Amino acid sequence: MIKDIQDEILRLKKEKDICILAHSYQAHEILEIADFTGDSYALSVKAAKVTNKNIIMCGVRFMAETVKVLSPEKNVYLAHPEAGCEMADMMDKQLISQVKEKYPDYTVVAYINTTSELKTICDVCVTSSSAVQIVKNVENDKILFIPDCNLGAWVAKQVPEKNIKLLSGGCPVHASIPVSEVKHARNLHPNAKLLVHPECLPEVTALADYVGSTSGIMEYAKNSDSKEFIIGTENSIAEHLQYECPDKQFYVLSSGLICKNMKLTTLVDVLNCIKGCGGEEISLDAEIIKGAKHCIDEMIRLNHE
Ligand code: 13P
Ligand code: SF4
């Protein structure tokens, strides 16, 4: 049954000139039919290079908006219209405009998990895999980092020479994991390496063997000589790694590490989106595209050693 749906998706996407992009948190059967999978940075870079006329994003809304901003001439679809991101919806343009008035000489660095509208008043975007490098390369020493104070605190630790102001936002999924749960997992699996996403609380990242983006965590686990790992990000990553490295053991840090938004998209949603009876076509004002593009272009310009 799953295979039949996958075959139909593969046949139709070729016929209709569609590229499917899928974030690493998507289900295994969706990653299998995607043209490209990866973390938010890799998906953004890919979005600007796609040659197909149509792009379907299997992920969350800010990711589909990023694709539209980078490829405005293409038809861009979000496979499941309800797939939002709580963190991206936490801060809006009005709130950040007020904060900017208090800190006029600060460079506003926005996590890519923000709306395109908010990006229009920010100076540069970052993703979890590029944030440290970009903050180091920002010409200004004064930085206002929004909306994730946990990622921001982790960046501030790696780049102590910058003055980084944080606002209190974050990912309700990653930030819900307390230190007690980390200690419990460590006790259960004393030989395992702990790999966590920088959206986790600072006291959690402080206990990790490795802190990095979803792709960073996957690469670390694949290349490591260790045989056991506790995965401190969305639980799908532990599942994908178990398929890719059957000789290693992957444990979830917490059964609560589930992003309900990322879990919304099913294979049938992708098929319906292709058939034109599902998904949502992303449409953004030309002004928003122009303003948000500057912020994303700056991310790519400043992500260098
Ligand atoms: P990545 O940048 O690691 O893909 O993370 C995106 C995200 O939403 C994590 O919660
Ligand atoms: Fe947003 Fe958190 Fe889900 Fe990532 S895991 S998409 S930050 S709600």
Side-chain angles (χ1 to χ4, degrees), residues 23 25 39-40 62-63 111 113 127-128 174 197 199 213-214:
H23 186 266
Y25 287 163
D39 65 6
S40 5
F62 77 81
M63 295 177 178
Y111 195 17
N113 298 39
T127 65
S128 54
H174 288 82
H197 199 279
E199 288 174 11
S213 74
T214 50

Side-chain angles (χ1 to χ4, degrees), residues 85-203:
C85 163
E86 269 103 328
M87 169 149 49
D89 294 332
M90 231 164 235
M91 291 180 191
D92 62 13
K93 197 174 159 184
Q94 198 191 354
L95 171 80
I96 299 304
S97 300
Q98 284 166 4
V99 179
K100 274 176 63 155
E101 278 173 28
K102 276 173 77 185
Y103 301 104
D105 51 345
Y106 279 63
T107 293
V108 183
V109 175
Y111 195 17
I112 201 159
N113 298 39
T114 39
T115 62
S116 300
E117 190 185 29
L118 177 52
K119 286 184 180 88
T120 61
I121 57 157
C122 299
D123 298 301
V124 57
C125 271
V126 296
T127 65
S128 54
S129 61
S130 60
V132 170
Q133 195 61 55
I134 291 170
V135 167
K136 276 185 187 163
N137 288 340
V138 165
E139 285 85 8
N140 193 351
D141 282 347
K142 293 178 185 161
I143 286 172
L144 178 65
F145 192 100
I146 61 162
D148 188 349
C149 63
N150 298 312
L151 173 66
W154 180 70
V155 171
K157 219 170 143 186
Q158 321 301 310
V159 195
E161 65 275 22
K162 300 261 169 167
N163 170 1
I164 301 180
K165 287 228 176 299
L166 306 171
L167 298 188
S168 63
C171 166
V173 181
H174 288 82
S176 70
I177 307 306
V179 167
S180 56
E181 214 151 344
V182 178
K183 292 192 172 151
H184 179 68
R186 282 273 204 207
N187 284 338
L188 280 178
H189 311 291
N191 299 320
K193 291 259 189 260
L194 173 67
L195 319 182
V196 310
H197 199 279
E199 288 174 11
C200 291
L201 298 173
E203 49 272 39

Side-chain angles (χ1 to χ4, degrees), residues 23-291:
H23 186 266
S24 329
Y25 287 163
Q26 293 292 293
H28 184 73
E29 63 269 22
I30 291 178
L31 299 189
E32 284 183 326
I33 50 89
D35 295 280
F36 189 80
T37 68
D39 65 6
S40 5
Y41 188 79
L43 292 176
S44 314
V45 171
K46 188 74 189 168
K49 295 186 178 152
V50 169
T51 53
N52 306 72
K53 228 172 73 202
N54 306 294
I55 306 176
I56 296 179
M57 169 56 74
C58 301
V60 293
R61 182 168 293 274
F62 77 81
M63 295 177 178
E65 286 191 5
T66 303
V67 176
K68 184 69 185 172
V69 166
L70 292 172
S71 289
E73 71 293 354
K74 312 233 182 255
N75 306 314
V76 178
Y77 302 88
L78 176 62
H80 196 299
E82 303 297 317
C85 163
E86 269 103 328
M87 169 149 49
D89 294 332
M90 231 164 235
M91 291 180 191
D92 62 13
K93 197 174 159 184
Q94 198 191 354
L95 171 80
I96 299 304
S97 300
Q98 284 166 4
V99 179
K100 274 176 63 155
E101 278 173 28
K102 276 173 77 185
Y103 301 104
D105 51 345
Y106 279 63
T107 293
V108 183
V109 175
Y111 195 17
I112 201 159
N113 298 39
T114 39
T115 62
S116 300
E117 190 185 29
L118 177 52
K119 286 184 180 88
T120 61
I121 57 157
C122 299
D123 298 301
V124 57
C125 271
V126 296
T127 65
S128 54
S129 61
S130 60
V132 170
Q133 195 61 55
I134 291 170
V135 167
K136 276 185 187 163
N137 288 340
V138 165
E139 285 85 8
N140 193 351
D141 282 347
K142 293 178 185 161
I143 286 172
L144 178 65
F145 192 100
I146 61 162
D148 188 349
C149 63
N150 298 312
L151 173 66
W154 180 70
V155 171
K157 219 170 143 186
Q158 321 301 310
V159 195
E161 65 275 22
K162 300 261 169 167
N163 170 1
I164 301 180
K165 287 228 176 299
L166 306 171
L167 298 188
S168 63
C171 166
V173 181
H174 288 82
S176 70
I177 307 306
V179 167
S180 56
E181 214 151 344
V182 178
K183 292 192 172 151
H184 179 68
R186 282 273 204 207
N187 284 338
L188 280 178
H189 311 291
N191 299 320
K193 291 259 189 260
L194 173 67
L195 319 182
V196 310
H197 199 279
E199 288 174 11
C200 291
L201 298 173
E203 49 272 39
V204 169
T205 51
L207 297 174
D209 295 297
Y210 172 80
V211 181
S213 74
T214 50
S215 299
I217 288 175
M218 292 182 86
E219 283 311 303
Y220 182 97
K222 284 188 229 170
N223 296 328
S224 168
D225 291 334
S226 299
K227 293 283 176 212
E228 293 179 63
F229 304 88
I230 300 164
I231 303 298
T233 189
E234 220 279 342
N235 289 342
S236 52
I237 299 298
E239 187 188 339
H240 301 325
L241 279 167
Q242 196 62 76
Y243 281 120
E244 287 194 42
C245 312
D247 59 325
K248 297 183 176 180
Q249 286 283 301
F250 298 94
Y251 313 108
V252 298
L253 171 58
S254 162
S255 57
L257 266 168
I258 294 175
C259 174
K260 62 182 191 332
N261 292 297
M262 284 284 185
K263 289 279 173 286
L264 280 176
T265 309
T266 65
L267 213 46
V268 174
D269 292 325
V270 182
L271 181 59
N272 287 341
C273 185
I274 293 178
K275 285 179 169 170
C277 56
E280 179 185 321
E281 179 164 4
I282 301 294
S283 127
L284 294 172
D285 276 4
E287 276 308 297
I288 290 189
I289 290 182
K290 197 169 150 221

